[in-house]
């Protein structure tokens, strides 16, 4: 690999962990890329972004292509101004502007999660050290099956339901900070059958960010069901750096 080849850093979203990138990591490693997939703490957008920014500062030493899925898109939008990030890739992701929240973006969008009573789609539980009013949230199994990963085989949907990493509800209501996409070029993969972030909402955010867009007939987890589309977007981002 040329010396200026960027490292690829993959940031997972809510109700997931770094294994959500397992369909793309081996291909990238096989091509010789340095690939890192840090944990996203899922505790609050400010602290989660600070963690990823710290990770970038300590674990990378050259150019970076920073990739985020779902809520991870909000995290890379905030963390992308740290380190030497040269390109952003959003995969079925939130692309917030400063002051926006994840919940605010979803309001009125038709999202399966934008409901009056969150307990109809989420299971909630307290956690030690939680801020006042905060709780961990898990997707109910039927939401995983019908709205989150509906284009995956049934056994994979059950696996996601069983192993999902909860997100604090605080993460969804924390205002975003200065947006990295205003100064860093971006690419966006948009699953047209996404019921978590509906396609029109994703199109609006990607257009605002000036992202290079690829659409695919896929659910909210297109990087699992259609990994080549995510790989193509990452390759395009890498080519813009190299």
């Amino acid at each position: 690999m040329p010396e200026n080849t960027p490292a690829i850093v993959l940031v997972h979203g809510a109700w997931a962990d770094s294994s959500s990138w397992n369909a793309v990591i081996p291909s990238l490693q096989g091509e010789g890329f340095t690939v890192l997939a840090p944990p996203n703490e899922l505790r609050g957008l400010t602290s989660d972004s600070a963690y990823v920014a710290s990770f970038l500062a300590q674990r990378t030493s050259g150019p970076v292509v920073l990739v985020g899925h779902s809520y991870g898109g909000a995290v890379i939008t905030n963390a992308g101004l740290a380190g030497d990030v040269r390109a952003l890739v959003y995969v079925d992701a939130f692309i917030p502007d400063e002051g926006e929240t994840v919940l605010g973006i979803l309001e009125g969008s038709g999202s399966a999660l934008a409901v009056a009573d969150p307990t109809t789609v989420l299971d909630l539980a307290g956690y030690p050290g939680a801020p006042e009013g905060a709780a961990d949230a898990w997707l109910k199994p039927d939401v995983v099956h019908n709205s989150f990963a509906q284009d995956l085989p049934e056994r994979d949907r059950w696996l996601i339901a069983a192993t999902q990493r909860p997100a604090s509800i605080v993460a969804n209501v924390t205002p975003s900070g200065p947006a990295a996409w205003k100064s860093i070029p971006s690419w966006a993969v948009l699953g047209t059958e996404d019921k978590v972030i509906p396609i029109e909402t994703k199109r609006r955010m990607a257009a605002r960010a000036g992202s290079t867009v690829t659409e695919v007939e896929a659910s909210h987890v297109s990087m699992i069901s259609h990994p080549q589309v995510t790989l193509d977007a990452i390759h395009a981002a890498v080519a813009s750096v190299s």
Side-chain angles (χ1 to χ4, degrees), residues 4 14 31 75 83 95-96 128 147 150 152-154 157 219 230:
N4 64 336
E31 295 173 51
V75 172
I95 314 176
S147 302
Q150 69 271 18
L152 298 185
E154 183 177 10
R157 285 178 271 147
S219 71
T230 291

Side-chain angles (χ1 to χ4, degrees), residues 3-9 56-57 59-65 82-86 241:
E3 287 186 10
N4 64 336
T5 299
I8 299 167
V9 178
L56 292 171
R59 295 295 310 279
T60 64
S61 58
V64 171
V65 169
D84 188 15
V85 177
R86 303 286 187 87
V241 176

Side-chain angles (χ1 to χ4, degrees), residues 110-217:
S111 167
L113 302 185
V115 294
D117 180 2
T119 63
T120 61
V121 293
L122 301 171
D123 291 321
L124 304 177
Y127 60 89
E132 184 177 354
D136 265 342
W138 287 263
L139 292 175
K140 289 182 179 292
D142 66 307
V143 177
V144 174
H145 283 276
N146 299 319
S147 302
F148 186 80
Q150 69 271 18
D151 59 348
L152 298 185
E154 183 177 10
R155 67 188 298 270
D156 293 337
R157 285 178 271 147
W158 279 117
L159 184 62
I160 289 173
T163 62
Q164 61 179 299
R165 181 174 178 174
S168 174
I169 57 175
V170 171
N172 292 330
V173 296
T174 306
S176 189
W181 50 259
K182 291 186 176 180
S183 57
I184 300 173
S186 62
W187 283 254
V189 175
L190 312 182
T192 60
E193 306 308 305
D194 191 341
K195 297 183 181 180
V196 174
I197 314 176
I199 183 60
E200 290 304 328
T201 300
K202 291 190 293 189
R203 285 170 177 159
R204 176 183 59 80
M205 290 188 291
R208 179 178 64 183
S211 304
T212 299
V213 171
T214 302
E215 296 193 3
V216 56
E217 187 175 346

Side-chain angles (χ1 to χ4, degrees), residues 47-143:
S47 60
D48 295 340
S49 302
Y51 179 86
V52 171
S54 176
F55 180 93
L56 292 171
Q58 297 181 72
R59 295 295 310 279
T60 64
S61 58
V64 171
V65 169
L66 188 56
V67 186
H69 170 246
S70 189
Y71 168 74
V75 172
I76 70 169
T77 293
N78 285 262
L81 295 175
D84 188 15
V85 177
R86 303 286 187 87
L88 303 166
V89 180
Y90 293 95
V91 182
D92 299 313
F94 293 96
I95 314 176
D97 201 350
E98 186 169 4
E100 291 182 335
T101 67
V102 166
L103 185 60
I105 289 170
L106 291 182
E107 286 180 355
S109 69
S111 167
L113 302 185
V115 294
D117 180 2
T119 63
T120 61
V121 293
L122 301 171
D123 291 321
L124 304 177
Y127 60 89
E132 184 177 354
D136 265 342
W138 287 263
L139 292 175
K140 289 182 179 292
D142 66 307
V143 177

